[in-house]
Amino acid sequence: AVPDTTFVYDFAQGSRERRDLLGGKGANVAEMTRILGADRVPAGFTITTEACVAYMEADRTEPDGLAAEVAGALARLETHVGKRLGDDADPLLVSVRSGARESMPGMMDTVLNLGLNDRSVEGLAAKTGNARFAWDSYRRFVQMFGNVVRGVPSERIEATIRALKGEHGATLDTDLDVDALRELTARFKTLFEEHTGEPFPQEPGEQLRQSIRAVFDSWMGERAIHYRRINRIPDAWGTAVNVQQMVFGNKGDTSGSGVAFSRDEVTGEPEPSGDFLQNAQGEDVVSGVRNTRDIAELAEIMPAAHAELMEILRTLERHYGDMQDTEFTIEEGHLYMLQTRNAKRPAQAAVRFAVDAVHEGLLDRDGALLTIDASALDALLHPTFDPSAEIHQLARGVAASPGAAKGAVVFTADEAVAAAAEGRAVVLVRPFTEAEDVAGFHAAKGILTSEGGKASHAALVARGMGRPCVCGASTLEIDVEGGEIRAPGGVVIRAGEQIAINGSTGLITTDDVPLVEAEWSEQFETVLEWCDELRTLGVRANADTPQDARRAREFGAEGIGLCRTEHMFMAADRQPKMRAMILADGEEERRAALEQLRPLQQEDFEGLFEAMAGVPVCIRLLDPPLHEFLPQRHEVEAELADLRSAGAAEGGAGGGKIAELERTLVRVKTLEEVNPMLGTRGCRLGILFPEIYEMQVVAIFDAVLAVRERTGKAPLLEVMIPLVDYETELEILRELVLDAATARGLTVGEDFLVGTMIELPRACFQADNIAHHADFFSFGTNDLTQTALGFSRDDVESKFMGVYLDRKILDRSPFETLDTPGVGQMVRMAAWLGRKTKHQLKLGVCGEHGGDPDSIDFFHHSGIDYVSCSPFRVPIARVAAARAAA
Ligand code: ADP
Ligand code: MG
Ligand code: MG
C-alpha cells in the first residue's frame, strides 16, 4: 500500500493529469510507467512543485516533513529495486532531475549516478565486472554534481578533461581507460575542493539533499528567471524534482542513449527521427561532446531495441494524440524510456502533423487545430533564399530550424540584443549555445553554431522561437575571443561582416542572397481552409495601398478593416500639396489647396476599390494631428538662421525663401501642441476644418462611382470617423458624409455605411448614444489602450515597460496582448451598449491586437464580428480565430 503523502509521489501514483503538481517530466514519466509497464521505465519518485513553492516561501528552508517523506520514498524505491543507496558492495544509483510544468531549458541540468563514492565505485566495479564503466560513472557524477549542484565552472571541467586526454593521446571520452578515468575523478575532486572549499561529499544522503536543494534553487536562478520572462511563465509555479533509479547507457557497445521523435521534428514527415550514441549516458547526446548517429542506424546495431522503440513511439503518439519527443537509454540491449513530451516543432512540422493526424484518424479537425500554435506560424511567412540565386557555399551545417536569415555577424547575445535595439539585422554565431544566450536568439535574425545537432540547445531554442538556425557547421572555426570565423580555404569573416544562413537546408554563405517570401505548402492551405470553416470571427487586413490590399486578399483577408488615409499624404508628390493645405491662410485658400489633393486621393481610392471588389473596405478619415505633415520647428529655425546669415553676407539674396520659411514657422508654432496625441486630431479636425473631411468623402464617393462604372463592381464601402468622444461629434460628421453622398445619388445603408472608431474611454461609456449615429463600430484598441491606461504608446517601451515586466506589475505589454481586465472590459461594455441601441451593429477591431492570438481569443468570446490586422498576420489570425472556436 502506498502511504498518504503530501510532498512526494511515487511514479506509480502519478499521471499526466497531475502536471501542475508533478511537473511535466514527472507527470509523463508516471504516465509512461502506467501505459508501457514498469520494466520500461526506471522507478522513482517526484517531489512536488508545491514543496518547491513552500521552500521558496520559507526563504530557502525545506518544509517540515519533506525530509521524512523523501526518506520514506527512498526506502520504498530501495525495496522495489533490491539495492540500497550508499551500499558499498552493490549501490543503488539515482538521477536527480528537475521538471517544471512547462519544460524550461533555463533550469538546472540533471545529476546522474548519484550515490557513488570512493567505496561504492569499487563495489559497482566488482558487482558488474566492469571497472571502466564504474569509474566512468563516478567521474561523471563528480563532474556533474560539481558543476550543476555546486557551480564548478564548465570551462575548468572542460580544461581538465582536455588536459587529461592530451596526456593519454585520447580524442574521445570513450578512448579513456580505467586508469585515466580514475585519474580524471581524482582531478575533478581536487577541482571541487578548490572551488567549494569542501571535500567532495561521500555520504549519499548528503549528496541527495544538496541536489534536491540545488534543483529548488535553480528555479530562482538568473537563467530560469530570464527564460520565464520571455516565455511568460509565472514565477509562482515552482519546479518538481524527480529522483529516479539509474539505468546505464555507458556499459559498452550493447548500451547507449538517445533522443527520438515520433515524427521528423523539422519537417513533420511521418517518419520517426532522432539521434543516439553507443556507450554513452544521456547528457553526451545533447552536449555535442561526440557526434551522434542517426536513429535509423540503431536498426542495424540493435534491431530488437530499435523495433521496440518504434512501437513505443506509436503507442505514445496514440495515447497523447500528439507528436512525441522522447529520451531513452538502452542498457545491455534493454530499452528504457526516460522522458516523453509533446514535441515542440517548427510551424511547417506543426501544420504537416495536423493534416496527417486527421488523415490517419489520430485526431479530428478541432483537435488537430489545437495542436498548432498560431503565433509560431509566423515562420511559414518568413523569407527563404531566392531559389534562382546562385549561391557560393561557405560551409554547410545541420538544418536545425527552418527559414532563411541574413545579417551582420555577432558573437555574443549581448551584442545581438544591442544590435536589435538599434534596428540592425544580425546573425548570432557561436560554437554552441547555452541558456544564457537565449536573449540573443530573440534579438537575432538567425543562429549559427559549429557544434551540436538537431537536438542541441541552439536547435531546440531556435525552433521554439521560430528563428532560422543552422547547427554543427563543423568546418567553421568560430573564435569568439578573436572575433572571427575561420572557414575552409583560408576565408575569414569578422564581426560585423555579413553572413546568410538557410535553416531549411543547412547552407551558409557570405553572398548577399536575395530573400524571398515563403511558398505555402498544400498542407498549410488545407489547415487554413479548415480554419475558415470552423471560425466565426471574420478576419480583415489593415491596408492603405492596392499592393497591400492584394497581398491581404492572397493571405485570405475578407476585406479591409482599416485604411489609413493619412498614409496617402506621405508620398513625395503629395507632401508639398498637403503642406500647402495646412499652411493655407483661411478657408478659401485651404479649399483651393484641397482641390489639388482631391484627384490624387481619388486615384488612390480607385486602385484600392478595384483590388477589393465585392468585399468590405473601411476607410478612416484623416486622423493624425496636422503638424505631423509639417517640418519640425527646430529644422525650420535652423534653416532660417542659415539663410539669414548667408543673406546678410551676400546682401539681401534669398529674401523670398526667408519669407516662406517665416510663414511656415508661424504655422508650425500655431499648430504645436504639448500633447499632440490628445490634441487636435481625429474627428476634431473634421469639426474644425470640415473642408478636409469633405474633400476626402467626395474623393471616396467619386472613386466608387468611377470604379463601378469602369468594372461594374465596387467594394462594400464603410466610412469611419476616428476618435469620437461625444455623440454630437458623430452626428455632425455623419451629416457631412451623407450630404456628399446624396449629392451623388448614393444612399447610406445601400451604397455605403458610416461608423466610428471606439478608441476613447468616454466613447465606451456612451456607446449606446453614439450607436444612434453609427452603422458600425471599430475598436481602435491601440488608442484605447493608450487612453485607458494613460500609457503613451510611443514612450512606454523605452521608459518603464522593462521595469514593470521585471517587477511583475505587468506580465506582457498591453500594446501586444489586450489588457483584458481593463481595456477588454471596456470593449465588452461598449459592444453590449452599442448593440442595446442597434441589435445588428457591426463590431470590428482594428488595433495591433487584431493579429495577436490571445487577444483574438478574447474578441471571439466578446461577440466581435471581425478583427483586422496587418496582411502578414492574416493567416495567423485565421488560425487563432478557429482555435478560439474549436
Ligand atoms: P533535461 O530536462 O535537461 O532533458 P533530464 O532530466 O531529462 O534533463 O536528463 C537528461 C538525460 O539524462 C536524460 O535524457 C537521460 O539520458 C539521462 N538520465 C536522466 N535520468 C536517468 C536515469 N534514471 N537513468 C539513465 N539516464 C538518465
Ligand atoms: Mg530530458
Ligand atoms: Mg486611433
Side-chain angles (χ1 to χ4, degrees):
V2 182
D4 220 20
T5 57
T6 40
F7 290 131
V8 179
Y9 287 75
D10 291 353
F11 291 165
Q13 286 175 282
S15 71
R16 66 166 151 163
E17 282 77 35
R18 309 188 98 159
R19 179 185 192 101
D20 291 357
L21 187 67
L22 303 177
K25 199 180 286 169
N28 287 328
V29 166
E31 188 79 8
M32 283 200 296
T33 307
R34 279 200 304 119
I35 59 177
L36 303 177
D39 65 334
R40 284 275 168 253
V41 186
F45 55 88
T46 303
I47 303 168
T48 65
T49 55
E50 284 173 2
C52 176
V53 171
Y55 172 86
M56 290 187 301
E57 280 175 355
D59 223 0
R60 303 190 188 219
T61 316
E62 286 89 345
D64 284 346
L66 178 62
E69 282 189 39
V70 170
L74 186 61
R76 289 194 297 280
L77 180 61
E78 288 175 334
T79 311
H80 174 87
V81 176
K83 295 180 194 219
R84 271 192 317 102
L85 192 73
D87 185 331
D88 286 352
D90 185 15
L92 167 68
L93 303 185
V94 295
S95 64
V96 177
R97 317 173 64 187
S98 65
R101 258 194 236 184
E102 301 288 334
S103 93
M104 274 179 52
M107 292 286 298
M108 195 197 82
D109 297 320
T110 303
V111 180
L112 300 179
N113 312 326
L114 186 143
L116 281 172
N117 57 25
D118 294 349
R119 293 180 313 280
S120 63
V121 65
E122 304 291 1
L124 184 66
K127 179 80 190 174
T128 58
N130 189 340
R132 191 194 176 279
F133 153 70
W135 280 96
D136 183 52
S137 302
Y138 191 27
R139 70 91 187 171
R140 285 169 186 270
F141 173 51
V142 180
Q143 171 183 345
M144 286 178 141
F145 185 90
N147 177 240
V148 167
V149 178
R150 302 300 300 272
V152 177
S154 315
E155 300 83 65
R156 298 199 57 191
I157 292 173
E158 293 307 325
T160 308
I161 300 182
R162 227 178 303 123
L164 190 96
K165 277 190 196 161
E167 290 162 31
H168 288 257
T171 15
L172 296 174
D173 291 2
T174 39
D175 298 336
L176 295 171
D177 62 13
V178 190
D179 291 334
L181 290 169
R182 212 185 275 267
E183 172 61 21
L184 187 56
T185 311
R187 291 192 194 175
F188 281 155
K189 284 203 291 189
T190 310
L191 189 59
F192 182 92
E193 203 159 337
E194 275 170 27
H195 183 81
T196 64
E198 294 165 23
F200 187 81
Q202 290 289 313
E203 207 270 298
E206 181 57 24
Q207 296 169 352
L208 183 59
R209 257 187 309 280
Q210 286 192 24
S211 299
I212 292 170
R213 284 185 67 109
V215 176
F216 285 163
D217 288 338
S218 74
W219 178 258
M220 291 316 290
E222 216 174 293
R223 291 186 310 176
I225 290 174
H226 185 75
Y227 182 85
R228 286 202 290 277
R229 195 180 132 185
I230 291 176
N231 292 280
R232 298 167 171 173
I233 295 175
D235 283 345
W237 282 0
T239 178
V241 187
N242 301 289
V243 177
Q244 186 175 28
Q245 181 196 356
M246 281 301 300
V247 289
F248 299 98
N250 57 336
K251 269 194 176 168
D253 283 346
T254 57
S255 301
S257 195
V259 297
F261 294 85
S262 60
R263 310 190 179 221
D264 189 288
E265 77 276 28
V266 176
T267 64
E269 280 164 36
E271 269 303 301
S273 72
D275 298 321
F276 78 102
L277 277 174
Q278 252 172 307
N279 194 14
Q281 284 198 316
E283 298 292 318
D284 299 351
V285 180
V286 193
S287 68
V289 293
R290 277 158 61 192
N291 283 329
T292 52
R293 305 173 71 166
D294 193 279
I295 202 80
E297 292 174 52
L298 187 65
E300 291 148 38
I301 303 167
M302 297 177 226
H306 179 264
E308 275 161 358
L309 179 61
M310 295 300 119
E311 182 57 36
I312 284 173
L313 290 174
R314 275 190 293 275
T315 305
L316 290 174
E317 212 178 58
R318 264 197 310 276
H319 183 74
Y320 283 92
D322 202 350
M323 190 169 149
Q324 295 299 296
D325 167 357
T326 70
E327 294 170 10
F328 65 89
T329 283
I330 300 168
E331 178 177 342
E332 297 183 323
H334 188 106
L335 173 71
Y336 293 95
M337 298 307 294
L338 294 170
Q339 189 173 333
T340 193
R341 60 184 167 200
N342 295 343
K344 290 217 170 96
R345 65 208 92 163
Q348 60 186 28
V351 164
R352 171 84 199 242
F353 171 76
V355 173
D356 288 351
V358 170
H359 290 151
E360 290 166 22
L362 191 65
L363 294 171
D364 62 14
R365 283 187 189 183
D366 290 20
L369 287 180
L370 291 173
T371 65
I372 298 177
D373 173 4
S375 42
L377 294 175
D378 233 1
L380 289 185
L381 314 165
H382 277 169
T384 52
F385 282 168
D386 181 348
S388 65
E390 251 193 47
I391 302 170
H392 170 81
Q393 173 178 320
L394 175 73
R396 199 171 263 282
V398 177
S401 178
K406 186 164 76 172
V409 169
V410 293
F411 290 107
T412 66
D414 286 348
E415 288 169 73
V417 170
E422 291 167 15
R424 283 187 289 130
V426 294
V427 174
L428 177 61
V429 180
R430 296 196 54 82
F432 55 88
T433 65
E434 297 175 281
E436 62 220 34
D437 299 319
V438 169
F441 281 64
H442 248 265
K445 296 283 178 209
I447 291 92
L448 169 62
T449 72
S450 56
E451 296 168 22
K454 272 197 259 181
S456 68
H457 176 267
L460 291 175
V461 177
R463 282 203 298 277
M465 282 187 194
R467 288 284 178 285
C469 175
V470 173
C471 281
S474 51
T475 59
L476 297 182
E477 205 183 317
I478 296 173
D479 179 356
V480 173
E481 306 228 306
E484 60 181 39
I485 307 170
R486 289 182 286 279
V491 182
V492 174
I493 302 133
R494 298 197 171 74
E497 293 179 359
Q498 176 166 287
I499 203 160
I501 59 166
N502 186 346
S504 314
T505 62
L507 186 80
I508 303 153
T509 180
T510 50
D511 294 0
D512 190 9
V513 199
L515 302 185
V516 294
E517 299 313 327
E519 286 272 335
W520 288 17
S521 68
E522 217 173 286
Q523 286 96 351
F524 192 29
E525 294 287 355
T526 304
V527 163
L528 288 170
E529 277 165 31
W530 292 348
C531 289
D532 291 345
E533 281 172 36
L534 189 64
R535 70 189 163 89
T536 53
L537 192 68
V539 177
R540 298 194 195 178
N542 300 347
D544 311 323
T545 63
Q547 299 90 289
D548 275 1
R550 269 190 291 274
R551 164 170 293 161
R553 285 199 84 166
E554 279 162 26
F555 282 171
E558 296 156 314
I560 292 180
L562 178 63
C563 166
R564 304 174 176 91
T565 48
E566 56 269 23
H567 288 185
M568 298 175 171
F569 296 126
M570 302 287 188
D573 58 330
R574 315 285 162 90
Q575 252 190 2
K577 296 191 166 70
M578 187 69 180
R579 208 168 269 185
M581 190 276 282
I582 299 169
L583 291 172
D585 220 354
E587 187 183 328
E588 206 172 313
E589 209 182 307
R590 187 157 40 247
R591 281 190 184 277
L594 282 164
E595 266 316 294
Q596 302 277 308
L597 280 169
R598 193 177 49 79
L600 299 171
Q601 179 109 89
Q602 181 176 332
E603 195 183 303
D604 289 341
F605 287 136
E606 286 182 28
L608 198 62
F609 294 167
E610 276 179 30
M612 301 304 278
V615 298
V617 174
C618 182
I619 296 178
R620 179 178 70 185
L621 301 185
L622 195 66
D623 181 48
L626 290 182
H627 73 82
E628 278 192 12
F629 301 96
L630 292 178
Q632 304 249 320
R633 177 177 176 164
H634 63 88
E635 283 170 15
V636 183
E637 284 172 343
E639 207 181 327
L640 208 48
D642 283 354
L643 271 180
R644 281 197 178 122
S645 56
E650 290 160 27
K657 179 79 184 158
I658 289 179
E660 191 193 317
L661 282 175
E662 280 171 342
R663 212 165 87 89
T664 306
L665 187 61
V666 170
R667 199 67 187 139
V668 168
K669 284 182 182 167
T670 316
L671 290 171
E672 219 165 45
E673 290 177 305
V674 174
N675 246 330
M677 278 300 136
L678 301 176
T680 314
R681 56 171 289 222
C683 71
R684 300 160 201 171
L685 288 172
I687 302 283
L688 291 181
F689 312 108
E691 54 279 12
I692 299 180
Y693 275 20
E694 267 169 41
M695 178 281 282
Q696 291 200 289
V697 172
V698 167
I700 292 168
F701 288 143
D702 284 349
V704 161
L705 290 170
V707 169
R708 206 187 265 177
E709 184 165 317
R710 213 167 34 241
T711 66
K713 289 185 225 125
L716 310 173
L717 184 61
E718 299 171 352
V719 178
M720 181 156 77
I721 315 290
L723 215 75
V724 162
D725 257 322
Y726 300 91
E727 60 167 312
T728 316
E729 289 170 326
L730 186 59
E731 196 180 355
I732 294 172
L733 294 170
R734 182 183 177 93
E735 243 352 272
L736 178 151
V737 177
L738 296 194
D739 284 350
T742 313
R744 282 163 183 75
L746 295 170
T747 314
V748 69
E750 278 174 30
D751 299 304
F752 68 97
L753 303 175
V754 183
T756 182
M757 280 184 83
I758 300 289
E759 52 186 335
L760 293 171
R762 190 178 196 281
C764 295
F765 295 115
Q766 283 296 301
D768 47 352
N769 292 321
I770 290 173
H772 286 299
H773 315 286
D775 306 315
F776 64 88
F777 283 173
S778 178
F779 289 95
T781 51
N782 298 340
D783 264 314
L784 189 57
T785 300
Q786 170 160 267
T787 50
L789 295 170
F791 281 6
S792 159
R793 53 189 288 233
D794 303 308
D795 299 314
V796 287
E797 300 287 348
S798 61
K799 301 293 185 206
F800 63 84
M801 193 70 81
V803 175
Y804 268 48
L805 292 169
D806 282 344
R807 300 284 304 275
K808 305 274 171 259
I809 297 168
L810 293 170
D811 73 345
R812 56 182 88 176
S813 165
F815 292 105
E816 273 166 35
T817 297
L818 192 78
D819 163 48
T820 52
V823 180
Q825 292 315 305
M826 297 175 82
V827 168
R828 282 188 171 170
M829 178 185 60
W832 178 73
L833 283 173
R835 287 214 170 118
K836 217 166 66 138
T837 299
K838 279 195 186 150
H839 188 62
Q840 300 293 349
L841 191 71
K842 203 189 319 182
L843 301 176
V845 169
C846 63
E848 300 289 312
H849 304 99
D852 169 66
D854 288 342
S855 311
I856 287 171
D857 188 75
F858 180 84
F859 295 136
H860 169 85
H861 291 103
S862 304
I864 300 294
D865 295 311
Y866 69 88
V867 292
S868 186
C869 54
S870 78
F872 273 101
R873 304 288 300 178
V874 165
I876 295 168
R878 289 160 73 191
V879 176
R883 287 180 50 122

